[in-house]
Amino acid sequence: MLARDLTIGLAEGDPHEFEEVGDIEADAEGNMYILDRGARSVAIFDREGRFRLAIGREGEGPGEFVSPHRLAWNGEDLAVLDRQALRISVFDRSGALRDTWTDPLWTSVFELSSVGDDVLAVERRALRDPFETRRYDEVYLNLVRPPGEIVDTVATWVDSSVVQVRYRALAARFGGPGLTQVRAPYGPSGVWDSRGPEILRGFGGEYRIHRFVVRDGRAHPAGDVSHDFPRPPLHAAERESIRKTIADLDERVDLDPRMPIPVPRLKPAFARMIVSGDGARVWLRTFRQGDPRLQMWDVHDCDLAYLGSVSLPREAWVHAVAGQALYAAARTALGIPHVARYRVPDDLAAPASGCPARGDGS
């Protein structure tokens, strides 16, 4: 298991307490940029964990946030996605506001990632069938550049939100009384990330990653890479849990028998993707671990050759990997949010030759 070498937000007398850690980025010097959704600001710490300054505050004016959601590098600047305000605020590293991006075509941007001097904004648009019986979400991976112009759509796919699966959550959304949401494990979903000139996209149904290279403001397919790692089966108890969840939904809303909800037999090949800050490593969270208290991550080089696997505590939510450091958010048993930094072994962190450089000034 990776060794933790720094914790922020838990020490006795710690002057900085988090309300809700939404995202984390780091620069080449090891400075940490931590988005606190509850405080509606970005707290900056040096590599030793000392607080330096905060960016933004609650509000609707320039440099203020209504619902800050994600961070991404935009060249040497830091971009902050405000999900409710539908805009991206760009700050320099001293905290000064440099630019604000928005576009009237945006409807629901919920993820952000860096692609050199552009960003990859992930948008979800709601669709309905002609009979209004079922809602669908169409997901777009859009390449965006100042002042918010969508210059290319890298990929699209449709999610049905009658049973909308994201990572390990089975969610159901219905009309009438509103949202019904329950949780059951192990549904495959689309994952993505980007660094430097490359965008990576994959689905957990198989161990395959599709690659795109950005040139001249467009994303060009660059092939895909797959591995034959076996997908672990769901245990009988896990399958029974999903069956009970579906039966409970059926009792509440009378699901359409013509659209049966399948119970998966295999767990996804992977559930999340993180590309390291230098673009040299691709991390994929898998379900092959034997210890239920841990989570397992496969580590690949930039050509997606498998290098090895590491484990982390199950409660750690990984946000970023940069150099020899992995940054994660977690909560204690009492619900106290904090940030943990873990040391990545040399053989997994060392940059590989020929890998794309990150667009963060490193």
Side-chain angles (χ1 to χ4, degrees), residues 115-159:
V115 191
D117 291 333
D118 303 322
V119 298
L120 184 70
V122 185
E123 184 180 8
R124 187 182 297 275
R125 301 177 188 174
L127 306 174
R128 289 188 181 274
D129 67 13
F131 301 102
E132 294 288 320
T133 58
R134 191 168 188 172
R135 169 176 162 158
Y136 297 83
D137 282 345
E138 195 168 21
V139 178
Y140 293 76
L141 298 188
N142 292 325
L143 191 64
V144 177
R145 59 178 41 173
E149 177 190 6
I150 299 174
V151 296
D152 195 15
T153 296
V154 179
T156 65
W157 65 90
V158 174
D159 281 348

mmCIF file of all heavy atoms in Angstrom, residues 115-159:
data_model
loop_
_atom_site.group_PDB
_atom_site.id
_atom_site.type_symbol
_atom_site.label_atom_id
_atom_site.label_comp_id
_atom_site.label_asym_id
_atom_site.label_seq_id
_atom_site.Cartn_x
_atom_site.Cartn_y
_atom_site.Cartn_z
ATOM 1 N N VAL A 115 -5.889 20.197 -21.537
ATOM 2 C CA VAL A 115 -5.324 19.710 -22.796
ATOM 3 C C VAL A 115 -4.406 20.818 -23.309
ATOM 4 O O VAL A 115 -4.781 21.614 -24.166
ATOM 5 C CB VAL A 115 -6.416 19.393 -23.844
ATOM 6 C CG1 VAL A 115 -5.806 18.638 -25.024
ATOM 7 C CG2 VAL A 115 -7.549 18.596 -23.239
ATOM 8 N N GLY A 116 -3.195 20.903 -22.759
ATOM 9 C CA GLY A 116 -2.291 21.976 -23.136
ATOM 10 C C GLY A 116 -2.872 23.325 -22.769
ATOM 11 O O GLY A 116 -3.228 23.577 -21.618
ATOM 12 N N ASP A 117 -3.027 24.212 -23.771
ATOM 13 C CA ASP A 117 -3.579 25.540 -23.521
ATOM 14 C C ASP A 117 -5.092 25.582 -23.652
ATOM 15 O O ASP A 117 -5.710 26.631 -23.502
ATOM 16 C CB ASP A 117 -2.965 26.556 -24.492
ATOM 17 C CG ASP A 117 -1.490 26.805 -24.195
ATOM 18 O OD1 ASP A 117 -1.098 26.640 -23.026
ATOM 19 O OD2 ASP A 117 -0.748 27.147 -25.124
ATOM 20 N N ASP A 118 -5.717 24.446 -23.963
ATOM 21 C CA ASP A 118 -7.171 24.335 -24.004
ATOM 22 C C ASP A 118 -7.630 23.515 -22.798
ATOM 23 O O ASP A 118 -6.822 23.072 -21.984
ATOM 24 C CB ASP A 118 -7.628 23.649 -25.306
ATOM 25 C CG ASP A 118 -7.125 24.377 -26.541
ATOM 26 O OD1 ASP A 118 -7.089 25.616 -26.512
ATOM 27 O OD2 ASP A 118 -6.757 23.696 -27.516
ATOM 28 N N VAL A 119 -8.927 23.330 -22.675
ATOM 29 C CA VAL A 119 -9.459 22.443 -21.641
ATOM 30 C C VAL A 119 -10.469 21.502 -22.281
ATOM 31 O O VAL A 119 -11.066 21.802 -23.320
ATOM 32 C CB VAL A 119 -10.126 23.205 -20.467
ATOM 33 C CG1 VAL A 119 -9.123 24.084 -19.762
ATOM 34 C CG2 VAL A 119 -11.328 24.005 -20.946
ATOM 35 N N LEU A 120 -10.658 20.365 -21.646
ATOM 36 C CA LEU A 120 -11.683 19.409 -22.045
ATOM 37 C C LEU A 120 -12.841 19.562 -21.078
ATOM 38 O O LEU A 120 -12.708 19.288 -19.882
ATOM 39 C CB LEU A 120 -11.135 17.985 -22.004
ATOM 40 C CG LEU A 120 -12.077 16.889 -22.489
ATOM 41 C CD1 LEU A 120 -12.279 16.990 -23.990
ATOM 42 C CD2 LEU A 120 -11.524 15.511 -22.131
ATOM 43 N N ALA A 121 -13.969 20.047 -21.564
ATOM 44 C CA ALA A 121 -15.156 20.253 -20.730
ATOM 45 C C ALA A 121 -16.171 19.171 -21.072
ATOM 46 O O ALA A 121 -16.521 18.984 -22.235
ATOM 47 C CB ALA A 121 -15.749 21.639 -20.980
ATOM 48 N N VAL A 122 -16.641 18.470 -20.063
ATOM 49 C CA VAL A 122 -17.558 17.355 -20.265
ATOM 50 C C VAL A 122 -18.968 17.850 -19.952
ATOM 51 O O VAL A 122 -19.259 18.302 -18.852
ATOM 52 C CB VAL A 122 -17.192 16.158 -19.374
ATOM 53 C CG1 VAL A 122 -18.083 14.974 -19.705
ATOM 54 C CG2 VAL A 122 -15.725 15.787 -19.574
ATOM 55 N N GLU A 123 -19.831 17.752 -20.948
ATOM 56 C CA GLU A 123 -21.172 18.309 -20.858
ATOM 57 C C GLU A 123 -22.210 17.197 -20.932
ATOM 58 O O GLU A 123 -22.043 16.219 -21.651
ATOM 59 C CB GLU A 123 -21.388 19.295 -22.009
ATOM 60 C CG GLU A 123 -22.722 20.020 -21.990
ATOM 61 C CD GLU A 123 -22.853 20.973 -23.169
ATOM 62 O OE1 GLU A 123 -21.984 20.945 -24.063
ATOM 63 O OE2 GLU A 123 -23.837 21.727 -23.194
ATOM 64 N N ARG A 124 -23.294 17.368 -20.179
ATOM 65 C CA ARG A 124 -24.401 16.409 -20.193
ATOM 66 C C ARG A 124 -25.671 17.145 -20.613
ATOM 67 O O ARG A 124 -26.037 18.151 -20.025
ATOM 68 C CB ARG A 124 -24.586 15.786 -18.814
ATOM 69 C CG ARG A 124 -25.597 14.650 -18.778
ATOM 70 C CD ARG A 124 -25.765 14.129 -17.359
ATOM 71 N NE ARG A 124 -24.542 13.567 -16.822
ATOM 72 C CZ ARG A 124 -24.150 12.313 -17.017
ATOM 73 N NH1 ARG A 124 -24.877 11.506 -17.754
ATOM 74 N NH2 ARG A 124 -23.028 11.866 -16.486
ATOM 75 N N ARG A 125 -26.336 16.628 -21.659
ATOM 76 C CA ARG A 125 -27.565 17.238 -22.146
ATOM 77 C C ARG A 125 -28.711 16.239 -22.003
ATOM 78 O O ARG A 125 -28.572 15.075 -22.365
ATOM 79 C CB ARG A 125 -27.427 17.652 -23.610
ATOM 80 C CG ARG A 125 -26.297 18.643 -23.858
ATOM 81 C CD ARG A 125 -26.157 18.977 -25.325
ATOM 82 N NE ARG A 125 -24.966 19.775 -25.588
ATOM 83 C CZ ARG A 125 -24.558 20.106 -26.808
ATOM 84 N NH1 ARG A 125 -25.261 19.726 -27.870
ATOM 85 N NH2 ARG A 125 -23.460 20.823 -26.970
ATOM 86 N N ALA A 126 -29.819 16.706 -21.493
ATOM 87 C CA ALA A 126 -30.971 15.837 -21.252
ATOM 88 C C ALA A 126 -31.791 15.682 -22.520
ATOM 89 O O ALA A 126 -32.083 16.657 -23.211
ATOM 90 C CB ALA A 126 -31.843 16.398 -20.132
ATOM 91 N N LEU A 127 -32.165 14.450 -22.820
ATOM 92 C CA LEU A 127 -33.045 14.135 -23.937
ATOM 93 C C LEU A 127 -34.226 13.341 -23.409
ATOM 94 O O LEU A 127 -34.166 12.743 -22.341
ATOM 95 C CB LEU A 127 -32.304 13.301 -24.992
ATOM 96 C CG LEU A 127 -30.988 13.865 -25.538
ATOM 97 C CD1 LEU A 127 -30.327 12.837 -26.452
ATOM 98 C CD2 LEU A 127 -31.255 15.142 -26.310
ATOM 99 N N ARG A 128 -35.306 13.300 -24.187
ATOM 100 C CA ARG A 128 -36.454 12.469 -23.824
ATOM 101 C C ARG A 128 -36.962 11.758 -25.063
ATOM 102 O O ARG A 128 -36.868 12.272 -26.178
ATOM 103 C CB ARG A 128 -37.585 13.306 -23.204
ATOM 104 C CG ARG A 128 -37.271 13.819 -21.813
ATOM 105 C CD ARG A 128 -38.503 14.457 -21.183
ATOM 106 N NE ARG A 128 -38.213 14.977 -19.869
ATOM 107 C CZ ARG A 128 -38.256 14.266 -18.750
ATOM 108 N NH1 ARG A 128 -38.580 12.983 -18.802
ATOM 109 N NH2 ARG A 128 -37.996 14.808 -17.590
ATOM 110 N N ASP A 129 -37.519 10.571 -24.835
ATOM 111 C CA ASP A 129 -38.114 9.867 -25.963
ATOM 112 C C ASP A 129 -39.459 10.526 -26.304
ATOM 113 O O ASP A 129 -39.997 11.338 -25.537
ATOM 114 C CB ASP A 129 -38.274 8.371 -25.670
ATOM 115 C CG ASP A 129 -39.286 8.066 -24.585
ATOM 116 O OD1 ASP A 129 -40.055 8.968 -24.219
ATOM 117 O OD2 ASP A 129 -39.320 6.923 -24.118
ATOM 118 N N PRO A 130 -40.050 10.215 -27.475
ATOM 119 C CA PRO A 130 -41.280 10.915 -27.898
ATOM 120 C C PRO A 130 -42.451 10.741 -26.943
ATOM 121 O O PRO A 130 -43.364 11.571 -26.929
ATOM 122 C CB PRO A 130 -41.574 10.291 -29.268
ATOM 123 C CG PRO A 130 -40.263 9.758 -29.739
ATOM 124 C CD PRO A 130 -39.534 9.323 -28.507
ATOM 125 N N PHE A 131 -42.463 9.668 -26.160
ATOM 126 C CA PHE A 131 -43.593 9.413 -25.268
ATOM 127 C C PHE A 131 -43.343 9.925 -23.850
ATOM 128 O O PHE A 131 -44.159 9.703 -22.953
ATOM 129 C CB PHE A 131 -43.907 7.914 -25.245
ATOM 130 C CG PHE A 131 -44.247 7.369 -26.607
ATOM 131 C CD1 PHE A 131 -43.311 6.663 -27.329
ATOM 132 C CD2 PHE A 131 -45.493 7.604 -27.169
ATOM 133 C CE1 PHE A 131 -43.608 6.168 -28.590
ATOM 134 C CE2 PHE A 131 -45.803 7.109 -28.428
ATOM 135 C CZ PHE A 131 -44.861 6.387 -29.147
ATOM 136 N N GLU A 132 -42.176 10.587 -23.628
ATOM 137 C CA GLU A 132 -41.860 11.185 -22.331
ATOM 138 C C GLU A 132 -41.844 10.143 -21.211
ATOM 139 O O GLU A 132 -42.102 10.465 -20.057
ATOM 140 C CB GLU A 132 -42.874 12.298 -21.983
ATOM 141 C CG GLU A 132 -42.810 13.492 -22.907
ATOM 142 C CD GLU A 132 -41.560 14.328 -22.679
ATOM 143 O OE1 GLU A 132 -41.168 14.511 -21.517
ATOM 144 O OE2 GLU A 132 -40.975 14.777 -23.674
ATOM 145 N N THR A 133 -41.558 8.904 -21.559
ATOM 146 C CA THR A 133 -41.554 7.868 -20.525
ATOM 147 C C THR A 133 -40.170 7.614 -19.968
ATOM 148 O O THR A 133 -40.036 7.019 -18.910
ATOM 149 C CB THR A 133 -42.094 6.549 -21.083
ATOM 150 O OG1 THR A 133 -41.296 6.156 -22.206
ATOM 151 C CG2 THR A 133 -43.544 6.707 -21.515
ATOM 152 N N ARG A 134 -39.152 8.068 -20.675
ATOM 153 C CA ARG A 134 -37.808 7.745 -20.244
ATOM 154 C C ARG A 134 -36.873 8.891 -20.618
ATOM 155 O O ARG A 134 -36.915 9.396 -21.738
ATOM 156 C CB ARG A 134 -37.356 6.451 -20.913
ATOM 157 C CG ARG A 134 -36.076 5.879 -20.349
ATOM 158 C CD ARG A 134 -35.873 4.455 -20.855
ATOM 159 N NE ARG A 134 -34.751 3.825 -20.176
ATOM 160 C CZ ARG A 134 -34.430 2.558 -20.299
ATOM 161 N NH1 ARG A 134 -35.162 1.768 -21.045
ATOM 162 N NH2 ARG A 134 -33.403 2.057 -19.657
ATOM 163 N N ARG A 135 -36.056 9.293 -19.694
ATOM 164 C CA ARG A 135 -35.111 10.371 -19.951
ATOM 165 C C ARG A 135 -33.736 9.782 -20.240
ATOM 166 O O ARG A 135 -33.320 8.813 -19.623
ATOM 167 C CB ARG A 135 -35.033 11.305 -18.744
ATOM 168 C CG ARG A 135 -33.877 12.298 -18.846
ATOM 169 C CD ARG A 135 -33.868 13.267 -17.695
ATOM 170 N NE ARG A 135 -32.554 13.891 -17.580
ATOM 171 C CZ ARG A 135 -32.348 15.042 -16.967
ATOM 172 N NH1 ARG A 135 -33.341 15.688 -16.433
ATOM 173 N NH2 ARG A 135 -31.131 15.540 -16.891
ATOM 174 N N TYR A 136 -33.045 10.411 -21.176
ATOM 175 C CA TYR A 136 -31.694 9.994 -21.529
ATOM 176 C C TYR A 136 -30.754 11.178 -21.351
ATOM 177 O O TYR A 136 -31.141 12.324 -21.554
ATOM 178 C CB TYR A 136 -31.625 9.504 -22.980
ATOM 179 C CG TYR A 136 -32.465 8.289 -23.252
ATOM 180 C CD1 TYR A 136 -33.825 8.413 -23.512
ATOM 181 C CD2 TYR A 136 -31.898 7.030 -23.229
ATOM 182 C CE1 TYR A 136 -34.609 7.305 -23.763
ATOM 183 C CE2 TYR A 136 -32.670 5.905 -23.477
ATOM 184 C CZ TYR A 136 -34.025 6.051 -23.748
ATOM 185 O OH TYR A 136 -34.788 4.944 -23.984
ATOM 186 N N ASP A 137 -29.526 10.884 -21.020
ATOM 187 C CA ASP A 137 -28.503 11.918 -20.932
ATOM 188 C C ASP A 137 -27.484 11.668 -22.031
ATOM 189 O O ASP A 137 -26.914 10.576 -22.121
ATOM 190 C CB ASP A 137 -27.809 11.904 -19.576
ATOM 191 C CG ASP A 137 -28.653 12.551 -18.499
ATOM 192 O OD1 ASP A 137 -29.609 13.247 -18.857
ATOM 193 O OD2 ASP A 137 -28.357 12.347 -17.308
ATOM 194 N N GLU A 138 -27.253 12.669 -22.861
ATOM 195 C CA GLU A 138 -26.243 12.583 -23.899
ATOM 196 C C GLU A 138 -24.996 13.293 -23.384
ATOM 197 O O GLU A 138 -25.055 14.469 -22.995
ATOM 198 C CB GLU A 138 -26.750 13.233 -25.186
ATOM 199 C CG GLU A 138 -25.915 12.883 -26.396
ATOM 200 C CD GLU A 138 -26.604 13.290 -27.687
ATOM 201 O OE1 GLU A 138 -27.495 14.157 -27.643
ATOM 202 O OE2 GLU A 138 -26.239 12.737 -28.727
ATOM 203 N N VAL A 139 -23.876 12.600 -23.380
ATOM 204 C CA VAL A 139 -22.634 13.110 -22.813
ATOM 205 C C VAL A 139 -21.707 13.532 -23.953
ATOM 206 O O VAL A 139 -21.517 12.789 -24.921
ATOM 207 C CB VAL A 139 -21.952 12.057 -21.925
ATOM 208 C CG1 VAL A 139 -20.634 12.596 -21.373
ATOM 209 C CG2 VAL A 139 -22.871 11.658 -20.779
ATOM 210 N N TYR A 140 -21.139 14.730 -23.833
ATOM 211 C CA TYR A 140 -20.235 15.271 -24.840
ATOM 212 C C TYR A 140 -18.874 15.542 -24.207
ATOM 213 O O TYR A 140 -18.793 16.170 -23.148
ATOM 214 C CB TYR A 140 -20.764 16.587 -25.398
ATOM 215 C CG TYR A 140 -22.029 16.479 -26.212
ATOM 216 C CD1 TYR A 140 -23.266 16.289 -25.594
ATOM 217 C CD2 TYR A 140 -22.004 16.574 -27.594
ATOM 218 C CE1 TYR A 140 -24.434 16.194 -26.338
ATOM 219 C CE2 TYR A 140 -23.165 16.484 -28.350
ATOM 220 C CZ TYR A 140 -24.377 16.294 -27.719
ATOM 221 O OH TYR A 140 -25.533 16.199 -28.449
ATOM 222 N N LEU A 141 -17.810 15.111 -24.873
ATOM 223 C CA LEU A 141 -16.458 15.532 -24.513
ATOM 224 C C LEU A 141 -16.092 16.662 -25.467
ATOM 225 O O LEU A 141 -15.798 16.435 -26.649
ATOM 226 C CB LEU A 141 -15.463 14.380 -24.663
ATOM 227 C CG LEU A 141 -15.673 13.145 -23.788
ATOM 228 C CD1 LEU A 141 -14.488 12.196 -23.933
ATOM 229 C CD2 LEU A 141 -15.844 13.513 -22.327
ATOM 230 N N ASN A 142 -16.116 17.897 -24.974
ATOM 231 C CA ASN A 142 -15.910 19.070 -25.819
ATOM 232 C C ASN A 142 -14.546 19.697 -25.559
ATOM 233 O O ASN A 142 -14.161 19.915 -24.405
ATOM 234 C CB ASN A 142 -16.989 20.125 -25.554
ATOM 235 C CG ASN A 142 -18.360 19.681 -26.015
ATOM 236 O OD1 ASN A 142 -18.499 18.991 -27.022
ATOM 237 N ND2 ASN A 142 -19.382 20.073 -25.274
ATOM 238 N N LEU A 143 -13.835 20.010 -26.631
ATOM 239 C CA LEU A 143 -12.585 20.756 -26.531
ATOM 240 C C LEU A 143 -12.922 22.240 -26.554
ATOM 241 O O LEU A 143 -13.571 22.729 -27.490
ATOM 242 C CB LEU A 143 -11.666 20.395 -27.694
ATOM 243 C CG LEU A 143 -10.227 20.891 -27.610
ATOM 244 C CD1 LEU A 143 -9.513 20.249 -26.435
ATOM 245 C CD2 LEU A 143 -9.493 20.588 -28.907
ATOM 246 N N VAL A 144 -12.505 22.968 -25.504
ATOM 247 C CA VAL A 144 -12.917 24.358 -25.313
ATOM 248 C C VAL A 144 -11.674 25.248 -25.218
ATOM 249 O O VAL A 144 -10.685 24.886 -24.589
ATOM 250 C CB VAL A 144 -13.760 24.504 -24.026
ATOM 251 C CG1 VAL A 144 -14.137 25.957 -23.785
ATOM 252 C CG2 VAL A 144 -15.006 23.637 -24.112
ATOM 253 N N ARG A 145 -11.755 26.426 -25.844
ATOM 254 C CA ARG A 145 -10.678 27.415 -25.710
ATOM 255 C C ARG A 145 -11.307 28.802 -25.532
ATOM 256 O O ARG A 145 -12.505 28.980 -25.750
ATOM 257 C CB ARG A 145 -9.759 27.390 -26.921
ATOM 258 C CG ARG A 145 -10.406 27.672 -28.259
ATOM 259 C CD ARG A 145 -9.374 27.656 -29.372
ATOM 260 N NE ARG A 145 -8.417 26.590 -29.203
ATOM 261 C CZ ARG A 145 -7.489 26.277 -30.106
ATOM 262 N NH1 ARG A 145 -7.421 26.953 -31.235
ATOM 263 N NH2 ARG A 145 -6.638 25.302 -29.891
ATOM 264 N N PRO A 146 -10.501 29.792 -25.112
ATOM 265 C CA PRO A 146 -11.067 31.115 -24.847
ATOM 266 C C PRO A 146 -11.811 31.652 -26.063
ATOM 267 O O PRO A 146 -11.397 31.412 -27.192
ATOM 268 C CB PRO A 146 -9.826 31.961 -24.543
ATOM 269 C CG PRO A 146 -8.759 30.980 -24.166
ATOM 270 C CD PRO A 146 -9.057 29.729 -24.910
ATOM 271 N N PRO A 147 -12.935 32.379 -25.824
ATOM 272 C CA PRO A 147 -13.534 32.765 -24.525
ATOM 273 C C PRO A 147 -14.596 31.783 -24.047
ATOM 274 O O PRO A 147 -15.559 32.168 -23.391
ATOM 275 C CB PRO A 147 -14.171 34.108 -24.854
ATOM 276 C CG PRO A 147 -14.606 33.929 -26.287
ATOM 277 C CD PRO A 147 -13.578 33.069 -26.956
ATOM 278 N N GLY A 148 -14.454 30.504 -24.380
ATOM 279 C CA GLY A 148 -15.432 29.488 -24.033
ATOM 280 C C GLY A 148 -15.961 28.771 -25.261
ATOM 281 O O GLY A 148 -16.923 28.010 -25.182
ATOM 282 N N GLU A 149 -15.336 29.028 -26.393
ATOM 283 C CA GLU A 149 -15.805 28.449 -27.651
ATOM 284 C C GLU A 149 -15.546 26.945 -27.688
ATOM 285 O O GLU A 149 -14.440 26.475 -27.379
ATOM 286 C CB GLU A 149 -15.083 29.112 -28.824
ATOM 287 C CG GLU A 149 -15.443 28.527 -30.180
ATOM 288 C CD GLU A 149 -14.544 29.042 -31.272
ATOM 289 O OE1 GLU A 149 -13.579 29.768 -30.953
ATOM 290 O OE2 GLU A 149 -14.796 28.704 -32.448
ATOM 291 N N ILE A 150 -16.560 26.170 -28.071
ATOM 292 C CA ILE A 150 -16.398 24.733 -28.298
ATOM 293 C C ILE A 150 -15.826 24.562 -29.693
ATOM 294 O O ILE A 150 -16.505 24.802 -30.695
ATOM 295 C CB ILE A 150 -17.745 23.990 -28.161
ATOM 296 C CG1 ILE A 150 -18.305 24.157 -26.745
ATOM 297 C CG2 ILE A 150 -17.574 22.511 -28.498
ATOM 298 C CD1 ILE A 150 -19.695 23.571 -26.568
ATOM 299 N N VAL A 151 -14.551 24.165 -29.789
ATOM 300 C CA VAL A 151 -13.897 24.057 -31.088
ATOM 301 C C VAL A 151 -13.970 22.645 -31.659
ATOM 302 O O VAL A 151 -13.758 22.445 -32.852
ATOM 303 C CB VAL A 151 -12.429 24.516 -31.002
ATOM 304 C CG1 VAL A 151 -12.362 25.996 -30.653
ATOM 305 C CG2 VAL A 151 -11.645 23.686 -29.999
ATOM 306 N N ASP A 152 -14.250 21.657 -30.823
ATOM 307 C CA ASP A 152 -14.374 20.289 -31.325
ATOM 308 C C ASP A 152 -15.093 19.446 -30.288
ATOM 309 O O ASP A 152 -14.972 19.684 -29.081
ATOM 310 C CB ASP A 152 -12.990 19.689 -31.613
ATOM 311 C CG ASP A 152 -13.050 18.425 -32.466
ATOM 312 O OD1 ASP A 152 -14.118 18.169 -33.064
ATOM 313 O OD2 ASP A 152 -12.045 17.705 -32.549
ATOM 314 N N THR A 153 -15.871 18.492 -30.751
ATOM 315 C CA THR A 153 -16.481 17.485 -29.885
ATOM 316 C C THR A 153 -15.745 16.175 -30.117
ATOM 317 O O THR A 153 -15.806 15.610 -31.215
ATOM 318 C CB THR A 153 -17.979 17.332 -30.176
ATOM 319 O OG1 THR A 153 -18.643 18.561 -29.859
ATOM 320 C CG2 THR A 153 -18.579 16.216 -29.329
ATOM 321 N N VAL A 154 -15.025 15.730 -29.109
ATOM 322 C CA VAL A 154 -14.167 14.559 -29.242
ATOM 323 C C VAL A 154 -14.988 13.285 -29.331
ATOM 324 O O VAL A 154 -14.714 12.398 -30.144
ATOM 325 C CB VAL A 154 -13.191 14.487 -28.051
ATOM 326 C CG1 VAL A 154 -12.302 13.260 -28.143
ATOM 327 C CG2 VAL A 154 -12.352 15.762 -27.989
ATOM 328 N N ALA A 155 -16.010 13.174 -28.503
ATOM 329 C CA ALA A 155 -16.804 11.953 -28.470
ATOM 330 C C ALA A 155 -18.140 12.251 -27.817
ATOM 331 O O ALA A 155 -18.279 13.195 -27.035
ATOM 332 C CB ALA A 155 -16.077 10.847 -27.704
ATOM 333 N N THR A 156 -19.126 11.438 -28.141
ATOM 334 C CA THR A 156 -20.439 11.512 -27.495
ATOM 335 C C THR A 156 -20.938 10.108 -27.236
ATOM 336 O O THR A 156 -20.542 9.152 -27.913
ATOM 337 C CB THR A 156 -21.477 12.239 -28.371
ATOM 338 O OG1 THR A 156 -21.704 11.476 -29.561
ATOM 339 C CG2 THR A 156 -21.020 13.629 -28.747
ATOM 340 N N TRP A 157 -21.786 9.984 -26.228
ATOM 341 C CA TRP A 157 -22.502 8.733 -26.007
ATOM 342 C C TRP A 157 -23.755 9.037 -25.200
ATOM 343 O O TRP A 157 -23.903 10.112 -24.637
ATOM 344 C CB TRP A 157 -21.643 7.669 -25.327
ATOM 345 C CG TRP A 157 -21.208 7.982 -23.933
ATOM 346 C CD1 TRP A 157 -21.855 7.692 -22.781
ATOM 347 C CD2 TRP A 157 -19.993 8.639 -23.536
ATOM 348 N NE1 TRP A 157 -21.134 8.122 -21.689
ATOM 349 C CE2 TRP A 157 -19.994 8.703 -22.134
ATOM 350 C CE3 TRP A 157 -18.911 9.173 -24.243
ATOM 351 C CZ2 TRP A 157 -18.953 9.287 -21.428
ATOM 352 C CZ3 TRP A 157 -17.881 9.751 -23.536
ATOM 353 C CH2 TRP A 157 -17.907 9.804 -22.140
ATOM 354 N N VAL A 158 -24.656 8.104 -25.170
ATOM 355 C CA VAL A 158 -25.951 8.306 -24.513
ATOM 356 C C VAL A 158 -26.019 7.440 -23.270
ATOM 357 O O VAL A 158 -25.717 6.247 -23.303
ATOM 358 C CB VAL A 158 -27.116 7.962 -25.458
ATOM 359 C CG1 VAL A 158 -28.447 8.036 -24.722
ATOM 360 C CG2 VAL A 158 -27.112 8.913 -26.643
ATOM 361 N N ASP A 159 -26.400 8.060 -22.156
ATOM 362 C CA ASP A 159 -26.676 7.344 -20.909
ATOM 363 C C ASP A 159 -28.172 7.408 -20.650
ATOM 364 O O ASP A 159 -28.776 8.475 -20.765
ATOM 365 C CB ASP A 159 -25.966 7.999 -19.714
ATOM 366 C CG ASP A 159 -24.498 7.627 -19.655
ATOM 367 O OD1 ASP A 159 -24.112 6.708 -20.385
ATOM 368 O OD2 ASP A 159 -23.756 8.260 -18.890
#
